[in-house]
Amino acid sequence: MTQVDIQAEVTSPRHVAIIMDGNGRWAQRRGQPRLFGHRAGAKRVREIVRACPDLGVKYLTIFAFSTENWKRSETEVTGLMSLFRRYITKEARALVEEGVRVRFIGDRGRLDKKLIKLMNELEEMTAHNDHVNLTIALNYGGRDELARASQRMAQDIASGALQPDAVDEETITSYLDTSILPDPDLVIRTSGEMRVSNFLLWQSAYAEYDFIDTLWPDFSSEVFADVIARFSGRDRRFGTVKPAAE
Ligand code: FPP
Protein backbone atom coordinates (compact mmCIF):
# COMPACT_ATOMS: atom_id res chain seq x y z
CA MET A 1 0.00 0.00 0.00
CA THR A 2 1.42 3.42 -0.91
CA GLN A 3 1.31 6.42 1.40
CA VAL A 4 -1.42 7.93 -0.85
CA ASP A 5 -3.60 4.82 -0.40
CA ILE A 6 -3.10 4.87 3.36
CA GLN A 7 -4.14 8.54 3.50
CA ALA A 8 -7.25 7.87 1.47
CA GLU A 9 -8.35 5.30 4.06
CA VAL A 10 -7.49 7.24 7.19
CA THR A 11 -8.49 10.87 7.45
CA SER A 12 -7.17 11.64 10.95
CA PRO A 13 -3.53 12.67 11.07
CA ARG A 14 -1.57 9.82 12.66
CA HIS A 15 1.27 12.12 13.67
CA VAL A 16 0.69 15.73 14.73
CA ALA A 17 3.60 18.05 15.55
CA ILE A 18 2.99 21.33 17.35
CA ILE A 19 5.01 24.54 17.63
CA MET A 20 3.56 25.85 20.89
CA ASP A 21 3.90 29.60 20.49
CA GLY A 22 2.42 32.61 22.26
CA ASN A 23 2.99 31.92 25.96
CA GLY A 24 4.88 35.19 26.45
CA ARG A 25 2.19 37.34 24.78
CA TRP A 26 -0.55 35.53 26.69
CA ALA A 27 1.18 36.44 29.97
CA GLN A 28 1.99 40.01 28.90
CA ARG A 29 -1.67 40.65 28.05
CA ARG A 30 -2.45 39.77 31.65
CA GLY A 31 0.34 41.94 33.03
CA GLN A 32 2.22 38.85 34.20
CA PRO A 33 5.80 37.65 33.71
CA ARG A 34 6.49 35.35 30.75
CA LEU A 35 6.85 32.30 32.99
CA PHE A 36 3.21 32.67 33.98
CA GLY A 37 2.39 31.98 30.33
CA HIS A 38 4.73 28.99 30.15
CA ARG A 39 3.04 27.50 33.23
CA ALA A 40 -0.38 27.93 31.61
CA GLY A 41 1.12 26.37 28.46
CA ALA A 42 2.25 23.31 30.41
CA LYS A 43 -1.33 22.76 31.58
CA ARG A 44 -2.49 22.74 27.96
CA VAL A 45 0.09 20.08 27.12
CA ARG A 46 -1.66 17.76 29.56
CA GLU A 47 -5.08 18.46 28.00
CA ILE A 48 -3.88 18.05 24.42
CA VAL A 49 -2.09 14.75 25.12
CA ARG A 50 -5.31 13.41 26.67
CA ALA A 51 -7.36 14.52 23.66
CA CYS A 52 -5.23 12.55 21.16
CA PRO A 53 -6.83 9.06 21.33
CA ASP A 54 -10.35 10.34 20.63
CA LEU A 55 -9.08 12.37 17.67
CA GLY A 56 -7.24 9.39 16.18
CA VAL A 57 -3.82 10.93 16.83
CA LYS A 58 -1.31 8.22 17.71
CA TYR A 59 1.85 10.37 17.69
CA LEU A 60 2.15 13.86 19.14
CA THR A 61 5.43 15.78 18.95
CA ILE A 62 5.73 19.11 20.74
CA PHE A 63 8.40 21.79 20.50
CA ALA A 64 9.22 22.66 24.12
CA PHE A 65 12.65 24.30 23.81
CA SER A 66 14.69 25.08 20.72
CA THR A 67 18.46 25.29 20.26
CA GLU A 68 17.87 29.05 19.79
CA ASN A 69 15.87 29.49 23.02
CA TRP A 70 19.11 29.67 25.08
CA LYS A 71 19.35 33.28 23.85
CA ARG A 72 16.40 34.28 26.07
CA SER A 73 16.98 35.92 29.46
CA GLU A 74 18.59 33.79 32.15
CA THR A 75 15.44 34.10 34.27
CA GLU A 76 13.28 32.69 31.48
CA VAL A 77 15.68 29.86 30.59
CA THR A 78 16.13 28.82 34.23
CA GLY A 79 12.37 29.05 34.78
CA LEU A 80 11.64 26.89 31.73
CA MET A 81 14.19 24.25 32.80
CA SER A 82 12.64 24.11 36.24
CA LEU A 83 9.17 23.87 34.64
CA PHE A 84 10.32 20.86 32.57
CA ARG A 85 11.69 19.15 35.71
CA ARG A 86 8.44 19.82 37.56
CA TYR A 87 6.31 18.66 34.62
CA ILE A 88 8.15 15.32 34.44
CA THR A 89 8.02 14.77 38.20
CA LYS A 90 4.35 15.71 38.51
CA GLU A 91 3.05 14.05 35.35
CA ALA A 92 5.06 10.80 35.32
CA ARG A 93 2.50 8.71 37.15
CA ALA A 94 -0.48 9.84 35.08
CA LEU A 95 1.47 9.36 31.84
CA VAL A 96 2.35 5.78 32.83
CA GLU A 97 -1.25 5.02 33.85
CA GLU A 98 -2.75 6.58 30.72
CA GLY A 99 -0.56 4.49 28.43
CA VAL A 100 1.48 7.41 27.07
CA ARG A 101 4.92 6.55 25.78
CA VAL A 102 7.24 9.52 26.22
CA ARG A 103 10.37 10.14 24.20
CA PHE A 104 12.66 13.16 24.07
CA ILE A 105 14.44 14.45 20.99
CA GLY A 106 17.17 17.06 20.79
CA ASP A 107 20.71 17.43 22.07
CA ARG A 108 20.85 16.46 25.75
CA GLY A 109 24.48 17.59 26.05
CA ARG A 110 23.70 21.11 27.23
CA LEU A 111 20.90 20.20 29.66
CA ASP A 112 21.48 19.91 33.40
CA LYS A 113 22.17 16.47 34.86
CA LYS A 114 19.09 16.38 37.04
CA LEU A 115 16.81 17.08 34.08
CA ILE A 116 18.58 14.47 31.92
CA LYS A 117 18.10 11.89 34.69
CA LEU A 118 14.37 12.66 34.90
CA MET A 119 14.05 12.46 31.11
CA ASN A 120 15.79 9.08 30.99
CA GLU A 121 13.66 7.76 33.84
CA LEU A 122 10.41 8.89 32.20
CA GLU A 123 11.43 7.25 28.91
CA GLU A 124 12.15 4.00 30.76
CA MET A 125 8.98 4.13 32.87
CA THR A 126 6.78 4.58 29.80
CA ALA A 127 8.74 2.32 27.44
CA HIS A 128 6.03 -0.37 27.39
CA ASN A 129 3.16 2.04 26.68
CA ASP A 130 1.59 2.31 23.26
CA HIS A 131 -1.69 4.22 23.61
CA VAL A 132 -0.26 7.60 22.59
CA ASN A 133 3.34 8.41 21.63
CA LEU A 134 4.37 11.78 23.04
CA THR A 135 7.69 13.15 21.82
CA ILE A 136 9.04 16.25 23.53
CA ALA A 137 11.60 18.27 21.59
CA LEU A 138 13.94 19.78 24.16
CA ASN A 139 17.06 21.65 23.09
CA TYR A 140 16.02 20.63 19.59
CA GLY A 141 16.80 22.24 16.24
CA GLY A 142 16.26 20.62 12.85
CA ARG A 143 19.63 21.77 11.50
CA ASP A 144 21.40 20.72 14.69
CA GLU A 145 19.76 17.29 14.43
CA LEU A 146 20.96 16.93 10.82
CA ALA A 147 24.48 18.03 11.80
CA ARG A 148 24.61 15.50 14.67
CA ALA A 149 23.25 12.78 12.38
CA SER A 150 25.86 13.65 9.72
CA GLN A 151 28.65 13.40 12.28
CA ARG A 152 27.56 9.90 13.30
CA MET A 153 27.15 8.90 9.67
CA ALA A 154 30.65 10.20 8.84
CA GLN A 155 32.07 8.23 11.79
CA ASP A 156 30.39 5.03 10.53
CA ILE A 157 31.73 5.65 7.03
CA ALA A 158 35.25 6.24 8.42
CA SER A 159 35.08 2.99 10.42
CA GLY A 160 33.76 1.05 7.42
CA ALA A 161 30.39 0.28 9.08
CA LEU A 162 28.60 2.26 6.35
CA GLN A 163 29.40 2.44 2.63
CA PRO A 164 29.15 5.96 1.09
CA ASP A 165 27.11 4.74 -1.88
CA ALA A 166 24.64 3.06 0.49
CA VAL A 167 23.55 6.44 1.89
CA ASP A 168 20.01 7.14 0.74
CA GLU A 169 16.96 8.92 2.22
CA GLU A 170 16.20 5.95 4.47
CA THR A 171 19.75 5.95 5.81
CA ILE A 172 19.56 9.62 6.73
CA THR A 173 16.17 9.09 8.41
CA SER A 174 17.66 6.26 10.45
CA TYR A 175 20.35 8.56 11.90
CA LEU A 176 17.88 11.22 13.07
CA ASP A 177 16.57 11.60 16.64
CA THR A 178 13.13 10.70 15.27
CA SER A 179 14.33 7.51 13.50
CA ILE A 180 11.56 5.31 14.85
CA LEU A 181 8.72 7.82 14.41
CA PRO A 182 6.55 8.17 11.31
CA ASP A 183 6.79 11.54 9.51
CA PRO A 184 4.34 14.16 10.80
CA ASP A 185 1.12 14.42 8.77
CA LEU A 186 0.20 17.79 10.25
CA VAL A 187 2.30 20.57 11.79
CA ILE A 188 0.39 23.17 13.80
CA ARG A 189 1.81 26.52 14.89
CA THR A 190 -0.14 28.65 17.31
CA SER A 191 -0.08 32.45 17.88
CA GLY A 192 -0.38 33.67 14.29
CA GLU A 193 3.32 33.42 13.37
CA MET A 194 3.90 31.74 10.01
CA ARG A 195 7.35 30.25 10.43
CA VAL A 196 8.75 26.76 10.68
CA SER A 197 11.49 27.81 13.13
CA ASN A 198 13.86 24.90 12.51
CA PHE A 199 11.30 22.27 13.61
CA LEU A 200 11.39 18.77 12.06
CA LEU A 201 12.83 20.09 8.79
CA TRP A 202 13.58 16.74 7.15
CA GLN A 203 10.55 14.95 8.58
CA SER A 204 7.96 17.54 7.48
CA ALA A 205 8.74 17.34 3.75
CA TYR A 206 5.15 16.25 2.98
CA ALA A 207 3.37 17.52 6.08
CA GLU A 208 0.33 19.77 5.95
CA TYR A 209 0.70 23.00 7.93
CA ASP A 210 -1.93 24.82 9.96
CA PHE A 211 -1.09 28.26 11.33
CA ILE A 212 -3.64 29.32 13.87
CA ASP A 213 -4.04 32.68 15.67
CA THR A 214 -4.86 31.16 19.07
CA LEU A 215 -2.09 31.62 21.64
CA TRP A 216 -0.80 28.31 23.03
CA PRO A 217 -2.27 28.71 26.56
CA ASP A 218 -5.70 29.12 24.91
CA PHE A 219 -5.28 26.07 22.66
CA SER A 220 -8.02 23.88 24.15
CA SER A 221 -8.98 20.36 23.12
CA GLU A 222 -11.95 21.92 21.26
CA VAL A 223 -9.63 24.12 19.18
CA PHE A 224 -7.44 21.05 18.59
CA ALA A 225 -10.48 19.08 17.36
CA ASP A 226 -11.32 21.91 14.91
CA VAL A 227 -7.80 21.86 13.47
CA ILE A 228 -7.94 18.08 13.07
CA ALA A 229 -11.32 18.37 11.31
CA ARG A 230 -9.81 20.92 8.89
CA PHE A 231 -6.94 18.54 8.15
CA SER A 232 -9.38 15.73 7.39
CA GLY A 233 -10.87 17.80 4.58
CA ARG A 234 -7.54 18.36 2.85
CA ASP A 235 -6.45 16.64 -0.30
CA ARG A 236 -2.94 15.24 0.20
CA ARG A 237 -1.13 14.26 -2.98
CA PHE A 238 2.48 13.57 -1.98
CA GLY A 239 3.67 14.93 -5.33
CA THR A 240 1.29 12.82 -7.39
CA VAL A 241 -1.85 13.88 -9.25
CA LYS A 242 -5.36 12.68 -8.48
CA PRO A 243 -6.56 9.90 -10.78
CA ALA A 244 -9.01 11.35 -13.36
CA ALA A 245 -12.70 10.75 -12.61
CA GLU A 246 -14.21 8.00 -14.79
C1 FPP B 1 6.92 29.80 22.86
O1 FPP B 1 6.16 30.87 23.35
C2 FPP B 1 7.00 28.75 23.84
C3 FPP B 1 8.17 28.24 24.34
C4 FPP B 1 9.50 28.69 23.96
C5 FPP B 1 8.15 27.21 25.37
C6 FPP B 1 7.15 26.11 25.19
C7 FPP B 1 6.97 25.57 26.51
C8 FPP B 1 5.81 25.23 27.09
C9 FPP B 1 4.49 25.22 26.43
C10 FPP B 1 5.89 24.89 28.49
C11 FPP B 1 5.55 23.52 28.84
C12 FPP B 1 6.11 22.42 28.07
C13 FPP B 1 6.23 21.20 28.60
C14 FPP B 1 6.69 20.06 27.78
C15 FPP B 1 5.91 20.95 30.00
P1 FPP B 1 6.86 32.27 23.45
O2 FPP B 1 7.42 32.40 24.82
O3 FPP B 1 7.87 32.43 22.36
O4 FPP B 1 5.67 33.25 23.25
P2 FPP B 1 5.73 34.69 22.60
O5 FPP B 1 6.05 34.50 21.14
O6 FPP B 1 4.36 35.21 22.83
O7 FPP B 1 6.78 35.47 23.32
Side-chain angles (χ1 to χ4, degrees):
M1 209 191 260
T2 69
Q3 205 167 9
V4 177
D5 295 329
I6 293 167
Q7 192 56 38
E9 283 194 355
V10 184
T11 49
S12 273
R14 189 156 81 113
H15 184 175
V16 175
I18 309 184
I19 303 172
M20 308 179 287
D21 198 6
N23 296 347
R25 274 164 285 168
W26 187 89
Q28 271 156 13
R29 284 177 197 175
R30 286 160 180 77
Q32 296 287 339
R34 298 176 58 81
L35 275 165
F36 182 75
H38 293 315
R39 269 184 235 120
K43 286 197 192 120
R44 285 298 181 192
V45 169
R46 190 176 308 155
E47 179 180 336
I48 296 308
V49 173
R50 288 197 175 131
C52 283
D54 281 348
L55 296 171
V57 176
K58 191 83 185 160
Y59 294 85
L60 177 72
T61 300
I62 53 174
F63 207 177
F65 194 88
S66 76
T67 45
E68 290 74 35
N69 285 153
W70 296 105
K71 294 179 200 141
R72 296 190 174 201
S73 75
E74 203 190 322
T75 312
E76 185 169 354
V77 171
T78 312
L80 275 168
M81 293 301 152
S82 127
L83 181 61
F84 298 142
R85 286 197 300 271
R86 261 208 322 275
Y87 173 83
I88 296 175
T89 312
K90 269 182 68 184
E91 293 295 308
R93 200 172 159 168
L95 290 164
V96 171
E97 282 169 6
E98 287 166 25
V100 181
R101 177 161 192 175
V102 184
R103 297 180 179 90
F104 292 91
I105 55 170
D107 184 1
R108 299 186 194 199
R110 203 173 160 183
L111 301 174
D112 80 60
K113 288 202 173 61
K114 204 169 160 207
L115 177 57
I116 298 172
K117 186 167 175 279
L118 288 168
M119 288 159 65
N120 289 336
E121 283 169 2
L122 187 59
E123 283 184 332
E124 273 170 39
M125 281 166 77
T126 61
H128 301 294
N129 286 349
D130 188 32
H131 196 42
V132 178
N133 290 271
L134 170 65
T135 303
I136 303 177
L138 225 168
N139 193 24
Y140 174 86
R143 287 183 173 184
D144 178 70
E145 178 190 36
L146 280 162
R148 286 185 286 106
S150 305
Q151 275 181 19
R152 289 199 304 278
M153 234 183 313
Q155 278 156 7
D156 284 349
I157 287 173
S159 74
L162 178 67
Q163 297 307 309
D165 55 9
V167 176
D168 57 13
E169 291 184 15
E170 245 173 67
T171 318
I172 295 170
T173 298
S174 75
Y175 278 83
L176 298 176
D177 297 352
T178 52
S179 58
I180 54 118
L181 302 177
D183 283 347
D185 303 291
L186 172 65
V187 180
I188 302 168
R189 183 177 190 138
T190 58
S191 93
E193 308 289 345
M194 292 196 223
R195 289 190 293 275
V196 175
S197 294
N198 207 5
F199 189 43
L200 301 176
L201 296 179
W202 173 271
Q203 299 87 336
S204 300
Y206 286 101
E208 296 288 319
Y209 280 85
D210 203 318
F211 298 99
I212 173 168
D213 286 339
T214 312
L215 303 177
W216 175 253
D218 292 326
F219 191 85
S220 63
S221 47
E222 290 79 18
V223 178
F224 189 30
D226 285 347
V227 177
I228 301 293
R230 260 203 305 278
F231 169 90
S232 304
R234 289 190 185 186
D235 172 24
R236 298 182 81 198
R237 299 199 196 137
F238 300 97
T240 68
V241 285
K242 252 184 158 175
E246 288 180 352

